[in-house]
Amino acid sequence: DQQVKQNSPSLSVQEGRISILNCDYTNSMFDYFLWYKKYPAEGPTFLISISSIKDKNEDGRFTVFLNKSAKHLSLHIVPSQPGDSAVYFCAASGGNNNDMRFGAGTRLTVKP
Amino acid sequence: DVKVTQSSRYLVKRTGEKVFLECVQDMDHENMFWYRQDPGLGLRLIYFSYDVKMKEKGDIPEGYSVSREKKERFSLILESASTNQTSMYLCASSFGTGVVHEQFFGPGTRLTVL
């Protein structure tokens, strides 16, 4: 039973436009959320995170929004660039542990 | 710069063989993790370790065991490999407990069991 769900396996956007990747979670104990980016033949790399005490965190072109009541978070990339084409994983962690649960991933393609 | 290395990028084994996947990190991280990545399922946690000689089961530990004899090294063992263990295996490490820290991943080992 997946506790973190990314319901869109793929997303295609035009260069310069906004990319919005979505993630839902079921476990109310989760209080820290992360996004990772993965290129083929490489391990995932950390992109941005948000604590449950916040509802928004921004880092350059990347913004993560958290809606605790809906158990939903989203990653916005503005403007999207071809180099952003990758698989994006949402992850969640809870309590004092550092173990995380990951979603299935969304493959983003940014077309020039 | 954190580095997590995995012993092999590609591995082909036969059903019933004992398989060792090795992971080494060079940043003195307390925590180490093993995941497998499968299409449509994302990353699933197999085992993790908070300290030397300590281990905790993740969500899918069946058919696997782990060993952490030194802080920098975390091994995943498939006692008797089966075809349903064909997958991409990813190792990760992070700093200690209390506050959630980002995990740093190795490049992965693609294991094929014939």
Side-chain angles (χ1 to χ4, degrees), chain B residues 50-94:
Chain B
Y50 291 137
D51 202 349
V52 176
K53 296 198 186 290
M54 293 187 67
K55 60 184 179 184
E56 299 281 345
K57 292 180 180 179
D59 295 328
I60 51 164
E62 297 80 16
Y64 303 95
S65 62
V66 290
S67 172
R68 192 160 181 208
E69 296 296 320
K70 293 185 178 181
K71 190 174 185 180
E72 67 270 17
R73 188 179 296 269
F74 193 35
S75 303
L76 180 69
I77 303 153
L78 287 66
E79 296 290 341
S80 177
S82 63
T83 54
N84 63 12
Q85 293 178 309
T86 291
S87 186
M88 169 69 82
Y89 289 88
L90 291 160
C91 174
S93 69
S94 72

Coordinates of all heavy atoms in Angstrom, one line a residue, chain B residues 50-94:
Chain B
Y50 N 20.8 2.7 11.1 CA 21.1 4.0 11.8 C 22.5 4.0 12.4 O 22.9 5.1 12.9 CB 20.1 4.3 12.9 CG 18.7 4.6 12.5 CD1 17.6 4.0 13.1 CD2 18.5 5.4 11.4 CE1 16.3 4.3 12.7 CE2 17.2 5.7 10.9 CZ 16.1 5.1 11.6 OH 14.8 5.4 11.2
D51 N 23.1 2.9 12.5 CA 24.4 2.8 13.1 C 25.1 1.5 12.8 O 24.4 0.6 12.3 CB 24.2 3.0 14.6 CG 25.5 3.5 15.3 OD1 26.6 3.5 14.6 OD2 25.4 3.8 16.5
V52 N 26.3 1.4 13.1 CA 27.1 0.2 12.8 C 26.4 -1.0 13.6 O 25.9 -0.8 14.7 CB 28.5 0.3 13.3 CG1 29.3 -1.0 13.1 CG2 29.2 1.4 12.5
K53 N 26.2 -2.1 12.9 CA 25.7 -3.3 13.4 C 24.2 -3.2 13.7 O 23.6 -4.1 14.2 CB 26.4 -3.8 14.6 CG 27.8 -4.2 14.4 CD 28.4 -5.0 15.5 CE 29.9 -5.3 15.2 NZ 30.2 -6.2 14.1
M54 N 23.5 -2.1 13.3 CA 22.1 -1.9 13.5 C 21.4 -2.0 12.2 O 21.9 -1.5 11.1 CB 21.8 -0.6 14.2 CG 22.3 -0.6 15.6 SD 21.7 0.9 16.5 CE 20.0 0.5 16.6
K55 N 20.2 -2.6 12.1 CA 19.4 -2.7 10.9 C 18.0 -2.6 11.3 O 17.5 -3.1 12.3 CB 19.8 -4.0 10.1 CG 19.5 -5.2 10.9 CD 20.0 -6.5 10.1 CE 19.7 -7.7 10.9 NZ 20.2 -8.9 10.2
E56 N 17.2 -2.1 10.3 CA 15.8 -2.0 10.5 C 15.1 -2.5 9.2 O 15.6 -2.1 8.1 CB 15.3 -0.6 10.8 CG 15.9 0.0 12.1 CD 15.1 -0.5 13.3 OE1 14.0 -1.0 13.1 OE2 15.6 -0.3 14.4
K57 N 14.0 -3.2 9.2 CA 13.3 -3.6 8.0 C 12.6 -2.4 7.5 O 12.0 -1.6 8.2 CB 12.4 -4.8 8.4 CG 13.0 -6.1 8.7 CD 12.0 -7.1 9.0 CE 12.7 -8.4 9.4 NZ 11.7 -9.5 9.7
G58 N 12.6 -2.4 6.1 CA 11.8 -1.4 5.4 C 10.4 -2.1 5.1 O 9.9 -2.9 5.8
D59 N 9.9 -1.7 3.9 CA 8.6 -2.2 3.5 C 8.7 -3.5 2.8 O 7.7 -4.3 2.8 CB 8.0 -1.2 2.5 CG 7.7 0.2 3.3 OD1 7.4 0.1 4.5 OD2 7.8 1.2 2.6
I60 N 9.8 -3.9 2.2 CA 9.9 -5.1 1.4 C 11.1 -5.9 1.8 O 12.0 -6.2 0.9 CB 9.8 -4.9 -0.1 CG1 10.8 -3.8 -0.5 CG2 8.4 -4.5 -0.5 CD1 11.0 -3.8 -2.0
P61 N 11.3 -6.4 3.0 CA 12.6 -7.0 3.4 C 12.7 -8.5 3.0 O 13.8 -9.1 3.0 CB 12.6 -6.9 4.9 CG 11.1 -6.9 5.3 CD 10.4 -6.2 4.1
E62 N 11.6 -9.1 2.6 CA 11.5 -10.5 2.4 C 12.5 -10.9 1.2 O 12.5 -10.3 0.2 CB 10.1 -11.0 2.0 CG 9.1 -10.8 3.1 CD 8.6 -9.3 3.2 OE1 8.8 -8.6 2.2 OE2 8.0 -9.0 4.2
G63 N 13.3 -11.9 1.5 CA 14.3 -12.3 0.5 C 15.6 -11.6 0.5 O 16.5 -11.9 -0.2
Y64 N 15.7 -10.6 1.4 CA 17.0 -9.8 1.6 C 17.5 -9.9 3.0 O 16.7 -10.1 3.9 CB 16.7 -8.4 1.2 CG 16.1 -8.2 -0.2 CD1 14.8 -8.1 -0.4 CD2 17.0 -8.1 -1.3 CE1 14.2 -7.9 -1.7 CE2 16.4 -7.9 -2.6 CZ 15.1 -7.8 -2.7 OH 14.5 -7.6 -4.0
S65 N 18.8 -9.6 3.1 CA 19.4 -9.4 4.4 C 20.4 -8.3 4.2 O 20.8 -8.0 3.1 CB 20.0 -10.6 5.1 OG 21.0 -11.1 4.3
V66 N 20.9 -7.7 5.3 CA 21.9 -6.6 5.2 C 23.0 -6.8 6.3 O 22.8 -7.6 7.2 CB 21.3 -5.2 5.4 CG1 20.4 -4.9 4.2 CG2 20.5 -5.1 6.7
S67 N 24.1 -6.1 6.0 CA 25.2 -6.2 7.0 C 25.8 -4.8 7.0 O 26.1 -4.2 6.0 CB 26.2 -7.2 6.5 OG 27.4 -7.1 7.3
R68 N 26.1 -4.3 8.3 CA 26.8 -3.1 8.4 C 27.8 -3.2 9.5 O 27.6 -3.0 10.7 CB 25.8 -1.9 8.7 CG 26.6 -0.6 8.6 CD 25.6 0.6 8.4 NE 26.3 1.8 8.3 CZ 25.8 3.0 8.7 NH1 24.5 3.0 9.2 NH2 26.4 4.1 8.5
E69 N 29.0 -3.7 9.1 CA 30.1 -3.9 10.0 C 30.9 -2.7 10.2 O 31.6 -2.5 11.3 CB 31.0 -5.0 9.5 CG 30.3 -6.4 9.5 CD 29.8 -6.9 10.8 OE1 30.6 -6.7 11.8 OE2 28.7 -7.4 11.0
K70 N 30.9 -1.8 9.2 CA 31.7 -0.5 9.4 C 30.7 0.6 9.0 O 29.8 0.4 8.2 CB 32.9 -0.5 8.4 CG 34.0 -1.5 8.8 CD 35.2 -1.3 7.9 CE 36.3 -2.3 8.3 NZ 37.5 -2.1 7.5
K71 N 31.0 1.8 9.5 CA 30.1 2.9 9.4 C 29.9 3.3 7.9 O 28.8 3.7 7.4 CB 30.6 4.1 10.1 CG 29.6 5.3 10.2 CD 30.1 6.4 11.1 CE 29.1 7.5 11.3 NZ 29.6 8.6 12.2
E72 N 31.0 3.2 7.1 CA 30.9 3.7 5.7 C 30.3 2.6 4.8 O 30.1 3.0 3.6 CB 32.3 4.1 5.3 CG 33.3 2.9 5.1 CD 34.1 2.7 6.4 OE1 33.6 3.1 7.5 OE2 35.1 2.0 6.3
R73 N 30.1 1.4 5.2 CA 29.8 0.3 4.3 C 28.5 -0.4 4.7 O 28.3 -0.7 5.8 CB 30.9 -0.7 4.2 CG 30.8 -1.8 3.2 CD 32.0 -2.7 3.3 NE 33.2 -2.0 2.9 CZ 33.7 -1.9 1.7 NH1 33.1 -2.5 0.7 NH2 34.9 -1.2 1.5
F74 N 27.6 -0.5 3.7 CA 26.3 -1.2 3.9 C 26.0 -2.2 2.8 O 26.0 -1.8 1.6 CB 25.2 -0.1 4.0 CG 23.9 -0.6 4.5 CD1 23.8 -1.5 5.5 CD2 22.7 0.0 4.0 CE1 22.5 -1.9 6.0 CE2 21.4 -0.4 4.5 CZ 21.4 -1.3 5.6
S75 N 25.9 -3.4 3.2 CA 25.8 -4.5 2.1 C 24.4 -5.0 2.1 O 23.8 -5.2 3.1 CB 26.8 -5.6 2.4 OG 28.1 -5.1 2.5
L76 N 23.9 -5.3 0.9 CA 22.6 -5.9 0.7 C 22.9 -7.3 0.2 O 23.7 -7.5 -0.7 CB 21.8 -5.2 -0.3 CG 20.4 -5.7 -0.6 CD1 19.5 -5.6 0.6 CD2 19.8 -5.0 -1.8
I77 N 22.3 -8.3 0.8 CA 22.5 -9.7 0.5 C 21.2 -10.4 0.0 O 20.2 -10.3 0.7 CB 23.1 -10.5 1.7 CG1 24.4 -9.8 2.2 CG2 23.4 -11.9 1.3 CD1 24.7 -10.0 3.6
L78 N 21.3 -11.0 -1.1 CA 20.2 -11.8 -1.6 C 20.6 -13.3 -1.4 O 21.5 -13.8 -2.0 CB 19.9 -11.6 -3.1 CG 19.2 -10.3 -3.5 CD1 20.1 -9.1 -3.2 CD2 18.8 -10.3 -5.0
E79 N 20.0 -13.9 -0.4 CA 20.5 -15.3 0.0 C 20.4 -16.3 -1.1 O 21.2 -17.1 -1.3 CB 19.7 -15.7 1.3 CG 20.0 -14.8 2.5 CD 21.4 -15.0 3.1 OE1 22.0 -16.0 2.8 OE2 21.8 -14.1 3.9
S80 N 19.3 -16.2 -1.8 CA 19.0 -17.1 -2.9 C 18.2 -16.4 -4.0 O 17.0 -16.2 -3.9 CB 18.2 -18.3 -2.4 OG 17.9 -19.2 -3.5
A81 N 18.9 -15.8 -4.9 CA 18.3 -14.9 -5.9 C 17.2 -15.6 -6.6 O 17.3 -16.7 -7.0 CB 19.4 -14.4 -6.8
S82 N 16.1 -14.8 -6.9 CA 15.0 -15.2 -7.7 C 14.7 -14.2 -8.8 O 15.1 -13.1 -8.7 CB 13.8 -15.4 -6.8 OG 13.4 -14.2 -6.2
T83 N 14.0 -14.7 -9.8 CA 13.8 -13.8 -11.0 C 13.0 -12.5 -10.6 O 13.2 -11.5 -11.2 CB 13.0 -14.5 -12.1 OG1 11.8 -15.1 -11.5 CG2 13.9 -15.6 -12.6
N84 N 12.1 -12.6 -9.5 CA 11.4 -11.4 -9.1 C 12.2 -10.4 -8.4 O 11.7 -9.3 -8.0 CB 10.1 -11.8 -8.4 CG 10.4 -12.5 -7.1 OD1 11.6 -12.5 -6.6 ND2 9.4 -13.1 -6.4
Q85 N 13.5 -10.7 -8.2 CA 14.4 -9.7 -7.6 C 15.2 -9.0 -8.7 O 16.1 -8.2 -8.3 CB 15.4 -10.4 -6.6 CG 14.6 -10.9 -5.4 CD 15.5 -11.6 -4.4 OE1 16.2 -12.5 -4.8 NE2 15.4 -11.3 -3.1
T86 N 14.9 -9.3 -9.9 CA 15.5 -8.5 -11.0 C 15.0 -7.0 -10.9 O 13.8 -6.8 -10.9 CB 15.1 -9.0 -12.4 OG1 15.7 -10.3 -12.6 CG2 15.4 -8.1 -13.5
S87 N 15.9 -6.1 -10.7 CA 15.5 -4.7 -10.4 C 16.7 -3.8 -10.5 O 17.8 -4.2 -10.6 CB 14.8 -4.7 -9.1 OG 14.3 -3.4 -8.8
M88 N 16.4 -2.5 -10.3 CA 17.5 -1.5 -10.0 C 17.6 -1.3 -8.5 O 16.6 -1.0 -7.9 CB 17.1 -0.2 -10.7 CG 18.1 1.0 -10.3 SD 19.7 0.8 -10.9 CE 19.5 1.4 -12.6
Y89 N 18.8 -1.5 -8.0 CA 19.0 -1.3 -6.6 C 19.8 -0.1 -6.3 O 20.8 0.2 -6.9 CB 19.7 -2.6 -6.0 CG 18.8 -3.8 -6.0 CD1 18.8 -4.6 -7.1 CD2 18.1 -4.1 -4.9 CE1 17.9 -5.7 -7.1 CE2 17.2 -5.2 -4.8 CZ 17.2 -6.0 -6.0 OH 16.3 -7.1 -6.0
L90 N 19.2 0.7 -5.4 CA 19.8 2.0 -5.1 C 20.2 2.1 -3.6 O 19.4 1.7 -2.7 CB 18.8 3.2 -5.4 CG 18.6 3.4 -6.9 CD1 17.3 4.2 -7.1 CD2 19.7 4.2 -7.5
C91 N 21.4 2.5 -3.3 CA 21.8 2.7 -2.0 C 21.8 4.2 -1.7 O 22.1 5.0 -2.6 CB 23.3 2.2 -1.8 SG 24.0 2.5 -0.2
A92 N 21.6 4.6 -0.4 CA 21.6 6.0 -0.1 C 22.1 6.2 1.3 O 22.1 5.2 2.1 CB 20.2 6.6 -0.1
S93 N 22.6 7.4 1.7 CA 23.0 7.7 3.0 C 22.6 9.1 3.4 O 22.3 9.9 2.6 CB 24.6 7.5 3.1 OG 25.2 8.6 2.4
S94 N 22.6 9.3 4.7 CA 22.2 10.6 5.2 C 22.8 10.8 6.6 O 23.2 9.9 7.3 CB 20.7 10.8 5.3 OG 20.1 10.0 6.3

